[in-house]
Amino acid sequence: MKKVVLTEEELKEVVKDATQQVLMEMAEPLKKYIKRIESIRFQLAENWCLCKYCQLYSQDNRDFAHWITELRPCIQYLKFVDINNGIDKKKTLQRILVGQYDFNSADMIRRIIEDKFSDENIKDPTIISTVSNELASSIDVLIEAISNNNITINDYVQSTFQQ
């Protein structure tokens, strides 16, 4: 085995290059990330709205902790993956969730969550409308939490669903 002596600067450069390579391997193509969004969008909306329901109407609901634990992986699934070639995750989420799937429309959110809320015996149309409006008006904050590496999931959940 041959020994190689590196200066501190050379070592830093090697580590930097290796780190860049690892990060690039963790990133995925845009089409794959879009499929990721599409595969989780209904669950994301349902769990977010169930958490908001508990916060607004049923603070002592024992299922609140369960729905938070269901919401976290939905956010993680989108948050901890970058898109190849430095494509902006925030713009991509905006384009797909808002531009393509109307997550800024309370009516669209209501249609997504109605069956899940019915399954959970939450049938009051006023409640369903209210939590639908809450997500529609908060979608930009959710997208920011997913795309901004300086916002932790814990911080987002605490600030959004304070009890």
Side-chain angles (χ1 to χ4, degrees), residues 60-81:
D60 60 344
N61 189 320
R62 61 184 173 83
D63 290 327
F64 181 64
H66 168 73
W67 288 325
I68 288 289
T69 62
E70 292 289 320
L71 178 61
R72 287 176 191 276
C74 294
I75 295 171
Q76 290 170 343
Y77 187 67
L78 299 172
K79 185 172 183 68
F80 298 125
V81 175

Side-chain angles (χ1 to χ4, degrees), residues 6 16 41 67 70 81 94 112 127 143-144 161:
L6 298 174
K16 180 181 170 190
R41 67 189 168 99
W67 288 325
E70 292 289 320
V81 175
Q94 282 281 0
I112 291 170
I127 290 173
I143 288 171
E144 181 67 23
F161 304 108

Side-chain angles (χ1 to χ4, degrees), residues 23 42 55 77 110-111:
L23 291 175
F42 292 123
Q55 179 196 21
Y77 187 67
R110 181 192 49 75
R111 286 186 278 155

Side-chain angles (χ1 to χ4, degrees), residues 6-124:
L6 298 174
T7 65
E8 184 176 341
E9 289 301 314
E10 291 170 327
L11 181 59
K12 284 180 183 178
E13 190 63 34
V14 168
V15 170
K16 180 181 170 190
D17 290 346
T19 303
Q20 291 280 341
Q21 180 64 30
V22 168
L23 291 175
M24 286 306 292
E25 289 172 4
M26 289 174 29
E28 61 188 26
L30 178 60
K31 284 183 180 182
K32 189 172 181 182
Y33 191 77
I34 290 171
K35 285 183 182 194
R36 196 178 269 268
I37 296 168
E38 293 171 339
S39 72
I40 199 84
R41 67 189 168 99
F42 292 123
Q43 188 178 357
L44 180 66
E46 290 168 350
N47 288 317
W48 192 99
C49 288
L50 285 166
C51 291
K52 186 54 75 171
Y53 161 76
C54 285
Q55 179 196 21
L56 297 176
Y57 297 103
S58 186
Q59 292 185 358
D60 60 344
N61 189 320
R62 61 184 173 83
D63 290 327
F64 181 64
H66 168 73
W67 288 325
I68 288 289
T69 62
E70 292 289 320
L71 178 61
R72 287 176 191 276
C74 294
I75 295 171
Q76 290 170 343
Y77 187 67
L78 299 172
K79 185 172 183 68
F80 298 125
V81 175
D82 289 324
I83 305 169
N84 282 346
N85 302 320
I87 295 174
D88 190 300
K89 189 187 300 185
K90 183 177 180 177
K91 288 180 183 176
T92 302
L93 287 161
Q94 282 281 0
R95 182 170 54 92
I96 303 303
L97 290 177
V98 175
Q100 189 170 336
Y101 292 114
D102 296 328
F103 267 47
N104 61 340
S105 163
D107 185 52
M108 176 58 77
I109 300 301
R110 181 192 49 75
R111 286 186 278 155
I112 291 170
I113 70 169
E114 273 180 328
D115 287 340
K116 179 66 173 175
F117 270 53
S118 179
D119 291 347
E120 298 294 337
N121 291 319
I122 305 166
K123 298 178 182 178
D124 183 329

Side-chain angles (χ1 to χ4, degrees), residues 143-155:
I143 288 171
E144 181 67 23
I146 293 169
S147 59
N148 186 332
N149 291 332
N150 294 322
I151 300 172
T152 68
I153 294 172
N154 285 341
D155 289 345

